[in-house]
Amino acid sequence: MISPEQCRAARGWLNISQADLARDACVGLSTVRGFEGGLKKPITNNLAAMQRALEVRGIVFGNDSIAFRSPKDS
């Protein structure tokens, strides 16, 4: 699963807001804010949904890293 730092970096790379991620992952904005702020860990389903929402936009997660793959490169 992704870390708060990876989540923030991925959003920055994609230039999307916390609200955009929350909408795309179908989770509450407070879930994204709390996770990225290190205040709480979302339930597994919500965290997986956040990761998938970023991956759909081309983010590839490694153990401690992220990369971008253009969806057309898939």
Side-chain angles (χ1 to χ4, degrees), residues 5-41:
E5 296 81 9
Q6 287 175 310
C7 191
R8 284 192 307 271
R11 279 193 319 96
W13 205 339
L14 295 169
N15 195 29
I16 63 170
S17 68
Q18 289 179 330
D20 293 331
L21 177 56
R23 181 196 64 234
D24 291 353
C26 298
V27 301
L29 179 55
S30 63
T31 299
V32 176
R33 285 183 178 158
F35 175 62
E36 287 190 356
L39 302 175
K40 63 179 179 176
K41 183 175 178 180

Side-chain angles (χ1 to χ4, degrees), residues 13 54-60 67-74:
W13 205 339
L54 294 166
E55 290 172 339
V56 164
R57 290 177 177 250
I59 296 295
V60 178
F68 179 76
R69 178 179 59 231
S70 174
K72 65 182 176 190
D73 293 341
S74 298

Side-chain angles (χ1 to χ4, degrees), residues 43-69:
I43 62 171
T44 303
N45 289 347
N46 286 351
L47 189 54
M50 291 165 55
Q51 182 171 335
R52 278 191 309 273
L54 294 166
E55 290 172 339
V56 164
R57 290 177 177 250
I59 296 295
V60 178
F61 293 97
N63 287 338
D64 292 320
S65 65
I66 66 168
F68 179 76
R69 178 179 59 231

